[in-house]
Each structure stands twice: as structure tokens, then as C-alpha cells.
Amino acid sequence: MASEDITKLAESLAKTKVGGGQLSFKGQSLKLNTAEDAEEVIKQIEEFNGLEALRLEGNTVGVEAAKVIAKALEKKSELKRCHWSDMFTGRLRSEIPPALISLGDALIAAGAQLVELDLSDNAFGPDGVRGFEALLKSPACYTLQELKLNNCGMGIGGGKILAAALKECHRKSVAQGKRLALKIFVAGRNRLENDGATALAEAFGIIGTLEEVHMPQNGINHPGITALAQAFAINPLLKVINLNDNTFTEKGAVAMAETLKALRQIEVINFGDCLVRSKGAVAIADAVKEGLHKLKELNLSFCEIKRDAALTVAEAIEDKTELEKLDLNGNCLGEEVCEQLHEILEGFNMASVLGSLSDDEGDDEEEDEEEEEEEDEQQQLKERGAEEQESLTPKKIFESQASTPVPSPPVDVATFLAFPSPEKLLRLGPKCSVLIAQQTDTSDVDKVVATLLRISSVFKDEAAVKTAVHETTDALMKKAFSSATFNSDAFITNLLVHMGLLKSEEKIKTVPSLYGILMTLNHMVQQDYFPKSLVPVLSAFVTKPNRALDSCSFARHMLLQTLHQL
């Protein structure tokens, strides 16, 4: 390591926060590749008496560095909390499992008794779960209360490995008289789908001590939701259920509503963007009305709920004195019903709990039964072991939409760009990419950036939406970059400013979440139209520590990995 690098590392470590049994290297962007790189970190660990929590977030740890850090941890039997999220930035996926194995073996050898293990925002995939599988099955995790695996790309395979490890940990812990009592489980954005969710549901049903479950954005349909509902019923201490952005449909919503009736400690229900539809919303409203007296938050936003069902939900919260927020935004209500909701809640003296209704889709009485039947057919195919729903080409999806009466209001490019959503993009039809490119003045850098950000904001891992975003982005940017008058340098500068990664003298409103644009850029930079001269610029700014990137570490890792390979 060069002397200037050592100096920089020493300065960084001088900022390390030490106290209360915690040693923190959080957010210091340390690049620990070799044993030599990790010398100062090891020294801090070895000299810290009574180490109970180790924070390594926001750094990058290689296989060799992990081995020597692990060696230092073998003597730290008092370690209870491992805050190890986002600590493999820029690493190849193949590097992560051996690094995790080394660290896990060290904790087992030390005789540690973990309370919290956080490996979120590490893009390790199914193989990465193998990296800490032995740790989860060991006595070091019999005391585990919080397991956080958000944004790890585990997939169905990883979910099954994880579920099996948790069941084995429970079995062994019971045999040793130290029953596993997991309280908090976090695994959002992992593409678990039905099979992964069902496997985990089986583990949850065995554990029975959960208080919080966070599994948003996992592509789970009603079979997986039903399995989770059955497992939740065996966890009477549940306070928080966050399944945002999965697909319940009526079947899943009704199953979940039945479970809610049996739970007495629920404080937060987040079923936003879960397509519970009207019948599902009514079932959930019945569950709320019958009990849930500790409820603080109910999120049923963007669920295609119609007017009568929304009013039923509002009436159900009459005696919920602890309620702080009711979110019904993005449904199909209409101005009149929005006013009625306000009136009903004012009558309960609870007007302040109603969230914004600014994204309401408008009144639409007709139920789209044919579309629901089509979704059920697709789910049945999946249950029989057919290919994922993602195997349906966007063309087929668009054709099926064209042949099915769509009750939603027609969408044009201006409407989509004004209030972008995945549904609106799909409803533009198979020519959405051409239409948006045609109606955007690609000689104007500001307009290109604004349009790109609106397109990328609706990005989802769902195949149809992802393909639509990619195709629309390609049409727009290919047209822009092929123009002799388009200033590529001005484009990347403007984009970085709007992403909050580059300061501007002017007051610029930055995007609220970078996930969509980072995932879209990951696609863009691989295309022939993207200027290779912009790659080092983009890489430099995405590599830098930035608070805006903290909540999108998975997407950031994916983009950096791609940029390093170009």
C-alpha cells in the first residue's frame, strides 16, 4: 500500500466512533483488499475490550482482508451485533461467499452469541446465503433476535436455503434449551417469489416469536401471500407487517384479513401497491373493525380500490384511537369520494390521519374481471412449475391488454410524464418507447434528463415494467446521443445534479429515490449508444460516499460492478 494511501486510511480511522461497546467504521469507504490494507482495522478490533457491536457498513472488504479481520474476531466472544450491510461494494459476486464464510467461522470459534445480524445491501445472490448458512445453524445464532437481509438478490434458491437454515437453528436451539426467539426479519427486494416466500413461511410458523416482518418488492403472488398469512397467525406477537409492492389479489388479501383477526398486537400494516382490490380491502376493513386496537398505520395505497370499498375502510377505523396514518392514495376514487373520506374522518375527529390523495386515479365503477382471471391463470401456471411470469414477452402482455376491455382512463404521453406510474407506462401500449421519444425535444438536455428521470422512476423488477422502462429509455437516449447537437457532458452533469450526487449553484429538486435511475443506468451503460467517455465520470460519482445512495446499495453495487467491467 502506498504511503499516501496509508495516511488516508489513518485519517479515516481517526474518525472511527468508539463507545458503548461499539466500534464503527461506517461509511468510511475503506478499500480493504489485502491483509496489509486491513492492518489498521485489525488493530482497532484487537485493542477494543468488550466489543459488542461492529459496524462495517459502507466499505468494501475483499476475501484476503476478510480472513485477517476474521482472525481478529475469533477472540471477541462478547460480540452481539454485526452491522455488515453494504460492505462489498464493487466486489464480484464470487468474492462474497468466501468472505462471509471466514467471518462466520470466526464468530462461531469465538463463541459469540449474536442478537443482530445485518447483511443488507450486499448483492450476494443465492450463493451468498451459503456464505452465512453455517453461522445461522450454529450456537452463535441461537440468541438471534434481528435478521436483516434487505436488497441481497437472494432469489427463490436463496430464500429456500435461508428458510432451511432458520429451521435447523430453531431445532438445534430447542434441543440445547436455548430456543431461537427471532423478533425482526427483513428481506425486501430479494425476488423471493412464491416458492421462496412459502419456504420462509414454513420457518416463521415454526419460530412463532416474530414481531416485525418486512418483505416488500419480492414478486410474491397470492399462493405465497396465503402461506405467509397462515404463518403469521402462529406469531401472536406480530406488530409490523410490511409486504408493500407484492401482488395479493382478492385471494391473498382475504387470507391475510383472516389472519389479522387473530392478531392483537398489530401496529403497522403496509399493503401498499399490493393489488388487494375492492373485495380484499373490504375483508381487511372487517378485520380492522373487529379488533386491532393498537393499529397506528394502515397503508392500502395503489391497490385498485374503488369508492365503496374505500369508504368501508374509512368507517372501519372509527374507534382506532392509536391510528396515526391511513394511506389510500393512488386508488380509483374520484374527487367526490375523496371529499367523502375527509368528511367521514372529520366526523370521527380523525381528519389528520388521512394521507395525501394527490395520485388518485379517478372514479371507475367497472371491475376488470377478465384481467383478474388472466392473472389467476398465470399464477396457476407458475404453481405447476411453469416458467416465471417474466417469461411472458412484453409484446404478449401488451397484446393481451389490447384484446381485453380496460376500465382505466386512457393514458397519453403527457399524462404519464406528469404523473408517472408503472401502470400508466404499460397502458401506453407497445409503442410507448416510440411515442415518448417522438414527443421529447432531444436537443434540450434539461428535457431529456427530466424525461429519463420520470421513466426510470417507475422501474420495477417485474418483467413487463422492466422491459418497458428499458425499451423506452433506449429509444429516448439513442435518439439523443445520435444527435450532433446533443451535449453529452452537459447531460451527465445535469443528471448527476438531479440525482443529488453533484452540487449546483441553482436550487434543483433532486429525485426522492435513486433506485430506479441507478437500475436504468445499469442497463444504459451497456448499450452501444452510451458514450464510453462518460463511464469514468459516472463511476467516480457513484463510488463517492453519498447519503442519497445509502438506501439503494443493491442498485449502486450492480451499477458499479457493470461499470468496472466496461
Side-chain angles (χ1 to χ4, degrees):
M1 181 182 282
S3 59
E4 59 267 24
D5 292 333
I6 295 174
T7 302
K8 185 177 179 181
L9 177 60
E11 290 174 354
S12 185
L13 289 173
K15 300 175 184 177
T16 300
K17 296 178 182 178
V18 179
Q22 174 175 284
L23 177 60
S24 175
F25 301 98
K26 180 178 180 181
Q28 295 185 17
S29 299
L30 303 177
K31 295 181 180 179
L32 309 178
N33 298 314
T34 66
E36 184 184 3
D37 295 341
E39 282 181 358
E40 289 293 333
V41 174
I42 294 164
K43 182 182 177 184
Q44 294 272 0
I45 292 173
E46 289 177 339
E47 293 178 354
F48 197 110
N49 295 321
L51 180 63
E52 294 184 7
L54 177 61
R55 308 196 76 105
L56 292 172
E57 310 103 306
N59 300 291
T60 178
V61 181
V63 177
E64 189 179 339
K67 286 181 180 178
V68 292
I69 291 173
K71 194 70 178 174
L73 291 176
E74 287 181 359
K75 298 176 183 178
K76 301 299 176 180
S77 60
E78 295 174 312
L79 188 62
K80 293 181 175 64
R81 297 184 181 274
C82 298
H83 302 280
W84 294 351
S85 64
D86 187 24
M87 69 173 202
F88 296 109
T89 301
R91 297 288 169 187
L92 295 175
R93 185 171 287 184
S94 59
E95 295 181 82
I96 302 176
L100 289 174
I101 289 172
S102 296
L103 293 167
D105 287 348
L107 297 178
I108 296 170
Q113 294 186 316
L114 296 183
V115 172
E116 179 179 359
L117 176 61
D118 186 356
L119 292 170
S120 298
D121 303 320
N122 291 310
F124 48 58
D127 291 340
V129 185
R130 295 284 188 199
F132 59 93
E133 179 184 14
L135 174 63
L136 277 182
K137 294 178 179 179
S138 76
C141 286
Y142 292 174
T143 50
L144 195 63
Q145 294 181 17
E146 301 180 31
L147 179 58
K148 300 173 182 178
L149 299 165
N150 209 49
N151 275 344
C152 292
M154 290 189 290
I156 294 171
K160 289 182 176 180
I161 296 168
L162 175 61
L166 287 172
K167 288 191 287 185
E168 182 69 1
C169 179
H170 181 270
R171 185 187 68 78
K172 287 182 175 180
S173 68
V174 170
Q176 293 294 318
K178 301 177 181 179
R179 182 187 179 95
L180 173 66
L182 189 66
K183 295 180 180 180
I184 298 175
F185 179 83
V186 181
R189 288 181 178 169
N190 271 291
R191 303 190 297 277
L192 294 170
E193 301 187 26
N194 289 336
D195 290 346
T198 300
L200 285 167
E202 187 177 338
F204 296 162
I206 292 171
I207 293 169
T209 56
L210 289 167
E211 295 182 10
E212 295 185 22
V213 175
H214 302 263
M215 295 174 66
Q217 295 184 13
N218 269 298
I220 309 171
N221 302 127
H222 77 81
I225 295 298
T226 300
L228 287 171
Q230 293 168 349
F232 292 165
I234 312 171
N235 286 264
L237 301 178
L238 265 174
K239 296 179 181 178
V240 178
I241 301 177
N242 176 8
L243 294 173
N244 190 286
D245 200 6
N246 289 291
T247 307
F248 283 38
T249 63
E250 180 189 337
K251 293 180 181 178
V254 170
M256 195 61 71
E258 286 303 309
T259 285
L260 290 175
K261 292 178 181 179
L263 299 175
R264 295 287 179 266
Q265 305 301 319
I266 290 292
E267 296 179 3
V268 176
I269 298 171
N270 187 343
F271 296 160
D273 204 10
C274 283
L275 204 68
V276 304
R277 293 203 173 103
S278 295
K279 292 180 182 178
V282 170
I284 292 168
D286 289 343
V288 170
K289 191 171 185 177
E290 288 184 21
L292 305 185
H293 295 292
K294 296 184 179 182
L295 188 64
K296 294 181 179 179
E297 180 178 336
L298 176 59
N299 185 345
L300 294 174
S301 60
F302 299 93
C303 280
E304 291 193 4
I305 298 171
K306 307 297 166 85
R307 51 177 298 158
D308 291 343
L311 296 175
T312 300
V313 171
E315 290 166 355
I317 67 168
E318 180 178 2
D319 62 346
K320 302 298 173 281
T321 56
E322 300 294 317
L323 194 71
E324 298 172 359
K325 184 177 181 181
L326 171 63
D327 193 344
L328 290 170
N329 197 20
N331 287 299
C332 310
L333 309 180
E335 187 176 337
E336 182 181 339
V337 177
C338 289
E339 291 177 2
Q340 284 182 270
L341 286 173
H342 282 287
E343 290 172 3
I344 289 172
L345 293 174
E346 282 177 0
F348 302 155
N349 197 26
M350 297 175 69
S352 61
V353 307
L354 184 62
S356 169
L357 297 171
S358 59
D359 293 320
D360 182 61
E361 292 285 347
D363 188 9
D364 188 355
E365 293 292 337
E366 185 182 352
E367 293 287 343
D368 190 5
E369 298 294 343
E370 291 184 41
E371 183 178 298
E372 188 169 1
E373 287 172 9
E374 181 185 341
E375 287 176 2
D376 289 342
E377 286 173 9
Q378 291 175 350
Q379 290 161 2
Q380 287 166 12
L381 284 173
K382 194 170 184 180
E383 291 166 38
R384 295 190 201 109
E387 290 292 318
E388 299 176 357
Q389 288 184 24
E390 291 179 350
S391 65
L392 287 172
T393 64
K395 183 178 179 183
K396 287 181 181 177
I397 292 171
F398 287 136
E399 285 175 351
S400 69
Q401 289 177 338
S403 63
T404 303
V406 180
S408 304
V411 174
D412 55 21
V413 171
T415 302
F416 166 73
L417 293 177
F419 302 101
S421 73
E423 295 74 20
K424 289 193 183 82
L425 182 61
L426 292 178
R427 289 200 334 247
L428 280 172
K431 294 184 178 179
C432 63
S433 57
V434 177
L435 292 171
I436 290 177
Q438 285 178 343
Q439 296 186 38
T440 302
D441 180 3
T442 50
S443 65
D444 188 328
V445 168
D446 290 340
K447 289 181 180 177
V448 172
V449 169
T451 302
L452 175 63
L453 290 172
R454 286 181 172 86
I455 295 167
S456 64
S457 71
V458 306
F459 179 91
K460 290 173 68 174
D461 287 323
E462 183 183 319
V465 178
K466 183 193 295 185
T467 301
V469 169
H470 287 173
E471 290 181 349
T472 308
T473 298
D474 288 344
L476 173 69
M477 298 314 304
K478 189 173 182 179
K479 180 185 175 186
F481 285 127
S482 62
S483 170
T485 59
F486 188 72
N487 189 327
S488 299
D489 292 335
F491 163 78
I492 199 68
T493 299
N494 192 310
L495 181 62
L496 291 169
V497 168
H498 280 84
M499 291 173 68
L501 305 183
L502 181 63
K503 289 184 179 179
S504 172
E505 294 181 1
E506 300 177 14
K507 249 190 174 180
I508 300 291
K509 185 178 181 181
T510 58
V511 294
S513 171
L514 294 182
Y515 182 77
I517 186 59
L518 290 173
M519 294 300 284
T520 303
L521 282 168
N522 185 53
H523 169 80
M524 276 176 56
V525 298
Q526 300 177 65
Q527 308 310 308
D528 292 338
Y529 62 71
F530 190 83
K532 296 299 180 258
S533 61
L534 300 184
V535 169
V537 179
L538 186 58
S539 181
F541 280 92
V542 177
T543 303
K544 282 183 179 181
N546 192 295
R547 189 175 297 176
L549 294 166
D550 287 348
S551 62
C552 304
S553 297
F554 174 78
R556 177 194 191 189
H557 174 88
M558 295 293 289
L559 176 56
L560 284 174
Q561 194 173 42
T562 300
L563 291 170
H564 289 322
Q565 293 170 357
L566 292 175

